[in-house]
Amino acid sequence: MDVLKKVPVREQDAKVRATNFEEVCFGYNEEEAREEAERCINCKNARCIVGCPVSINIPAFIEKVKEGDVEAAYHIINESSSLPAVCGRVCPQESQCEGVCIRGIKGEPVSIGKLERFVADWACEKDVKPEGAKEKNGKRVAVVGSGPAGLTCAGDLAKLGYDVTIFEALHEAGGVLVYGIPEFRLPKEKVVAKEIENVRSLGVKIETNVVVGKAVTIDELMDEEGFDAVFIGSGAGLPKFMGIPGEQANGVFSANEYLTRSNLMKAFQEGSTTPIMKGNKVAVVGGGNVAMDAARTALRLGAEVHVVYRRSEEELPARVEEVHHAKEEGIIFDLLTNPVEILTNEKGWVSGIKCVKMELGAPDESGRRRPVVKPDSEFVIEVDTVIMSLGTSPNPLISSTTEGLETNKWKCIIADENSGKTTKEGVYAGGDAVTGAATVILAMGAGKAAAKGIDEYLTNK
Amino acid sequence: MYKILEARELTTNIYLMEVEARRVAKRCQPGQFVIVRMDAEGERIPLTICDYNREKGTVTIVFQTVGAGTKKMGELKAGDSLHDFVGPLGCPSELVDEPVEELKEKSILFVAGGVGTAPVYPQVKWLQKRGVNADVIVGAKTKDLIILEEEMEAVAGNLYITTDDGSYGRSGMVTQTIKDLVEEGKHYDVCIAIGPMIMMKFVCKMTEELGIPTVVSLNPIMVDGTGMCGACRVTVGGEVKFACVDGPEFDGHKVDFDQAMKRQQLYQTMEGRALLKEQEGTTHHGGCGNCTDNN
């Protein structure tokens, strides 16, 4: 064994997995997990804990894995995280816990994410549940949205003894975990549903099919339904389009629509009642994680897929691991390429995407080199489906129907970073609704901070 | 689960259901809609609200069986339940926000096409309750497809019924009746047209000629109905709008109907396939010409 390297994780073969929706990564077995755990040197001032947005006591749980007491490891993780099976799979560990691991200075960092995943999957298999509150405190908190921020906030408050109800607009709880991230990265039945069940087992009630702002307002929740505080974790679900000619043509989808059809509505399964355009040749516009998810979904539905991105590979906002997986599976990357028009046939269907070539100029305010159009570089990629994955912004529905809740110019709710406190008393917010589209783990960190903020507020009230 | 208290067929392939949905019933307004999912495997189907009873906590929906999903839903009986029922969605009709005194000054015309009679009904009823008597034109292909006639009669100022084949009421399209009424000396300040896209398009052409401002309620393909996907996007006055959150009602003279109609065709073959599979089951061997499914 090479102590400088991670114990490799078993994966489905790229050629095989490109044709199915089964999970790509198989995860560690007990033996592999223990071997990897041995690489952790149990630092006194563990930097990995600081790198984790929810501050899991990483060395402590890894020690338990070394000892073979996986159940104890699970309870250590659960003190800080309500969704370990999710986080172990979708966190960008390279820029968080693993990014600061001492082992990473010389060699590869400890595979913290895969170990967390192993512990969570083991607990799920053995039906080990998180430990709930000993006593209820009689206070009620409403949580708007059942995504990572809401689930975390609800889980933490329930552990503190609060009576928590989550209100979810869709028919299923989980937010982006159920409608956004595909099955092959995050299995829905095996992982997401089980973790949500765990949050429920803490006493959290989940009411689906409630669009807050339409069926009920925040003010009504507090004044009429008797909630002492509200947490808003409604996310950033409003898709952006480019505004180029032809964008309303048949065959142009937002990544949100495409992924919702496939993930939430199960359109990828044979016999699904919700249809999806399979497409023969698909262009996905954008370079983030959502673009990778949409591209890899379209590929599995049988299409040839091009990722069209206006900057170079170095600037791709997606995780390196995802880009690597996408390439292995046969996704074609058309970099430094920007769409200017979507072409249609006489029936109004997409027939191609007209693009220009770009080159990188001087860095802009964000420090990234600004792409500049190459003169006379227009060309056409023939495609029958275009998926726009240009990012999302918060839906103004809640902010526009809540008296005294202020937003910034991007319609993001203004909230204190450390407590989640908004401009309205008793109302807290966190996750993408506050920051704009970010990551699952940052939303969880915000949900956690808000739970602490709400607890302090209601304790002192 | 949302319990069905009443279920009946109004006419061939058009069904009415009264459903227990406390939150929706409490807040819904004329012009809004709901999204329904029949069972755990079902798709999300947008349906207009036909009536509501705040005390009872019920919402009445009317739907036409056009595809596999709605066909299966038509078989449900009182006592059965719908798996999901979410709403109210979309913006209420603009009429709801106007001062009643101003509404009383106005001469309002509703034009309902086929199953579009259902969403017109709560608006006319809402107005009638406030002492505003609006005229209503109800059009259908043939006599048997006229729905809610008695209900509409009870709330409308004047009710004009027209059938394409002349089997009942006036003969011809709704546009002809609009023209006739204006020629007979009627004046209308505003027209609200709800029905098939093609009907709304031609009503708008007619009212534009007659100089009557017109509101239409669009029915594009939807998935979530809360603004997160853009499946329902339409172009209105050159701008892209999401019908589920910005609408469903828009200025009919600004809607790009041709584009909206093309977008409605998006899944036509797939819907046809699903319906055939449903109807013919294992006996379906690709008879539709498009279907390669040989199960």
Side-chain angles (χ1 to χ4, degrees):
Chain A
M1 177 191 141
D2 182 353
V3 78
L4 295 181
K5 287 214 158 122
K6 288 179 174 182
V7 172
V9 66
R10 288 162 291 115
E11 279 177 356
Q12 235 197 110
D13 178 76
K15 280 210 181 70
V16 177
R17 71 176 192 246
T19 63
N20 67 44
F21 279 81
E22 307 290 317
E23 195 172 14
V24 169
C25 173
F26 293 129
Y28 286 150
N29 60 27
E30 212 154 339
E31 197 181 313
E32 291 159 340
R34 227 195 276 198
E35 195 182 325
E36 179 63 20
E38 289 293 342
R39 295 183 60 233
C40 175
I41 53 173
N42 199 1
C43 304
K44 279 268 169 329
N45 294 313
R47 306 202 300 181
C48 54
I49 303 179
V50 184
C52 170
V54 296
S55 314
I56 293 173
N57 191 343
I58 293 164
F61 99 73
I62 293 182
E63 274 304 298
K64 292 293 170 193
V65 176
K66 278 184 208 169
E67 292 167 17
D69 189 353
V70 190
E71 186 165 346
Y74 177 72
H75 290 303
I76 291 170
I77 296 175
N78 228 279
E79 282 166 20
S80 310
S81 169
S82 297
L83 310 167
V86 170
C87 284
R89 286 172 166 85
V90 305
C91 273
Q93 288 99 3
E94 67 275 13
S95 56
Q96 295 175 333
C97 55
E98 294 180 23
V100 290
C101 172
I102 291 280
R103 271 267 179 233
I105 296 171
K106 235 198 280 168
E108 290 180 349
V110 174
S111 199
I112 301 165
K114 300 286 188 289
L115 286 172
E116 180 187 24
R117 170 188 161 147
F118 160 75
V119 171
D121 286 357
W122 180 95
C124 174
E125 207 174 287
K126 299 282 190 294
D127 209 27
V128 176
K129 296 274 177 214
E131 283 162 3
K134 304 255 175 331
E135 264 175 65
K136 288 262 182 191
N137 65 19
K139 289 175 187 162
R140 300 180 67 214
V141 181
V143 170
V144 182
S146 65
L151 287 171
T152 301
C153 186
D156 277 21
L157 286 169
K159 285 177 201 164
L160 290 167
Y162 289 90
D163 180 358
V164 186
T165 304
I166 300 181
F167 295 96
E168 167 57 46
L170 288 172
H171 58 261
E172 217 173 295
V176 76
L177 308 177
V178 293
Y179 77 74
I181 303 174
E183 190 73 22
F184 54 84
R185 281 217 290 139
L186 188 62
K188 306 295 162 236
E189 285 294 313
K190 199 183 109 201
V191 176
V192 182
K194 290 270 170 58
E195 299 239 279
I196 289 169
E197 218 27 67
N198 283 347
V199 173
R200 274 208 179 95
S201 77
L202 295 168
V204 172
K205 294 183 273 293
I206 303 180
E207 203 183 320
T208 52
N209 295 327
V210 182
V211 183
V212 174
K214 287 283 184 195
V216 64
T217 62
I218 301 275
D219 292 284
E220 285 171 347
L221 285 175
M222 299 178 80
D223 301 338
E224 291 173 24
E225 300 202 16
F227 287 100
D228 300 296
V230 176
F231 172 74
I232 304 170
S234 51
L238 208 68
K240 289 178 189 158
F241 286 92
M242 290 189 86
I244 57 174
E247 217 167 4
Q248 311 321 316
N250 285 0
V252 183
F253 304 92
S254 72
N256 262 12
E257 180 187 350
Y258 200 77
L259 291 170
T260 300
R261 283 180 184 277
S262 181
N263 301 330
L264 177 70
M265 305 311 296
K266 307 270 176 268
F268 72 88
Q269 281 172 357
E270 194 66 38
S272 155
T273 51
T274 299
I276 194 164
M277 266 319 136
K278 291 195 161 85
N280 291 314
K281 206 169 158 187
V282 176
V284 177
V285 182
N289 287 318
V290 177
M292 297 307 126
D293 285 345
R296 295 171 70 195
T297 297
L299 178 99
R300 282 160 171 76
L301 291 171
E304 175 188 315
V305 184
H306 293 248
V307 167
V308 179
Y309 180 60
R310 65 195 181 119
R311 300 182 200 244
S312 71
E313 174 147 8
E314 220 170 284
E315 286 84 12
L316 277 173
R319 287 184 71 189
V320 174
E321 185 183 321
E322 300 306 323
V323 176
H324 174 72
H325 276 147
K327 281 187 176 167
E328 273 184 343
E329 288 163 12
I331 306 270
I332 301 154
F333 283 76
D334 294 327
L335 300 167
L336 290 164
T337 303
N338 202 28
V340 289
E341 185 182 348
I342 290 161
L343 307 173
T344 51
N345 65 19
E346 66 287 350
K347 285 185 174 152
W349 287 76
V350 171
S351 62
I353 180 163
K354 192 192 276 179
C355 300
V356 285
K357 278 284 177 197
M358 311 293 282
E359 43 196 7
L360 292 181
D364 61 15
E365 316 84 64
S366 73
R368 294 194 300 181
R369 293 176 65 192
R370 189 195 295 275
V372 188
V373 179
K374 256 190 185 173
D376 305 317
S377 63
E378 230 170 62
F379 70 106
V380 172
I381 311 173
E382 279 178 34
V383 291
D384 56 14
T385 306
V386 176
I387 301 170
M388 290 293 178
S389 180
L390 309 155
T392 52
S393 56
N395 192 322
L397 185 56
I398 289 173
S399 50
S400 67
T401 55
T402 310
E403 196 85 29
L405 186 71
E406 284 173 30
T407 56
N408 65 19
K409 61 175 170 174
W410 298 285
K411 302 265 185 274
C412 296
I413 297 170
I414 297 169
D416 180 74
E417 209 180 306
N418 298 315
S419 67
K421 200 173 178 320
T422 68
T423 52
K424 188 179 172 74
E425 196 191 330
V427 179
Y428 291 72
D432 289 3
V434 170
T435 57
T439 61
V440 167
I441 189 67
L442 286 177
M444 289 179 58
K448 197 166 191 63
K452 202 165 150 261
I454 290 170
D455 182 44
E456 276 163 19
Y457 165 71
L458 291 179
T459 308
N460 299 327
K461 198 181 162 188
Chain B
M1 297 289 256
Y2 302 81
K3 199 171 168 199
I4 300 166
L5 299 186
E6 188 194 349
R8 60 189 161 99
E9 192 174 16
L10 292 177
T11 181
T12 316
N13 293 338
I14 301 182
Y15 297 82
L16 174 144
M17 269 179 194
E18 188 183 6
V19 182
E20 217 170 58
R22 189 176 52 87
R23 286 193 185 276
V24 188
K26 190 180 169 198
R27 284 292 297 259
C28 64
Q29 298 276 12
Q32 291 186 294
F33 64 98
V34 292
I35 281 191
V36 174
R37 211 164 69 105
M38 192 192 127
D39 53 32
E41 281 76 46
E43 59 180 320
R44 295 169 66 94
I45 305 167
L47 297 171
T48 40
I49 294 170
C50 173
D51 206 354
Y52 47 89
N53 185 325
R54 302 214 199 277
E55 290 74 44
K56 247 172 108 186
T58 62
V59 175
T60 303
I61 49 172
V62 167
F63 60 92
Q64 189 165 21
T65 57
V66 286
T70 40
K71 186 172 177 293
K72 225 169 128 192
M73 215 165 90
E75 289 161 12
L76 294 178
K77 300 277 170 285
D80 292 340
S81 288
L82 295 169
H83 202 280
D84 298 289
F85 195 93
V86 59
L89 300 171
C91 298
S93 157
E94 278 181 26
L95 296 173
V96 174
D97 292 326
E98 274 183 58
V100 175
E101 292 315 308
E102 280 174 35
L103 286 173
K104 281 182 177 164
E105 299 290 304
K106 278 189 181 169
S107 170
I108 304 169
L109 174 68
F110 284 90
V111 182
V115 75
T117 311
V120 164
Y121 175 71
Q123 300 206 23
V124 181
K125 184 179 170 185
W126 189 93
L127 287 169
Q128 192 250 357
K129 266 192 176 169
R130 284 155 186 79
V132 184
N133 293 310
D135 283 0
V136 181
I137 302 172
V138 170
K141 275 203 184 89
T142 182
K143 186 183 178 205
D144 296 340
L145 296 176
I146 299 284
I147 55 164
L148 304 170
E149 187 186 349
E150 275 173 39
E151 288 87 344
M152 197 65 94
E153 183 78 61
V155 293
N158 298 297
L159 175 63
Y160 307 95
I161 292 192
T162 171
T163 48
D164 296 1
D165 63 359
S167 54
Y168 189 58
R170 297 173 178 234
S171 177
M173 308 282 181
V174 288
T175 41
Q176 187 59 47
T177 302
I178 299 173
K179 202 175 171 203
D180 292 346
L181 290 175
V182 171
E183 279 172 3
E184 286 163 24
K186 287 263 190 183
H187 167 82
Y188 293 107
D189 297 302
V190 61
C191 167
I192 296 118
I194 309 180
M197 211 73 101
I198 187 84
M199 176 216 108
M200 292 191 282
K201 176 184 167 174
F202 283 106
V203 167
C204 287
K205 265 195 166 166
M206 176 60 73
T207 56
E208 203 155 20
E209 276 172 32
L210 299 170
I212 309 170
T214 300
V215 173
V216 294
S217 179
L218 297 183
N219 49 348
I221 290 171
M222 287 189 189
V223 184
D224 64 290
T226 63
M228 64 171 257
C229 84
C232 65
R233 60 195 192 273
V234 289
T235 306
V236 182
E239 274 181 68
V240 177
K241 300 277 182 194
F242 290 4
C244 72
V245 286
D246 301 319
E249 294 194 350
F250 293 103
D251 180 343
H253 295 154
K254 290 186 176 165
V255 170
D256 185 340
F257 280 106
D258 293 337
Q259 184 191 77
M261 282 190 281
K262 271 181 193 155
R263 286 189 59 83
Q264 261 190 340
Q265 312 293 313
L266 200 52
Y267 293 100
Q268 209 178 40
T269 18
M270 283 192 224
E271 275 178 4
R273 279 185 200 183
L275 182 63
L276 278 171
K277 204 170 171 184
E278 170 89 22
Q279 284 172 342
E280 302 179 12
T282 50
T283 66
H284 182 59
H285 293 290
C288 65
N290 289 318
C291 200
T292 51
D293 184 2
N294 286 324
N295 294 324

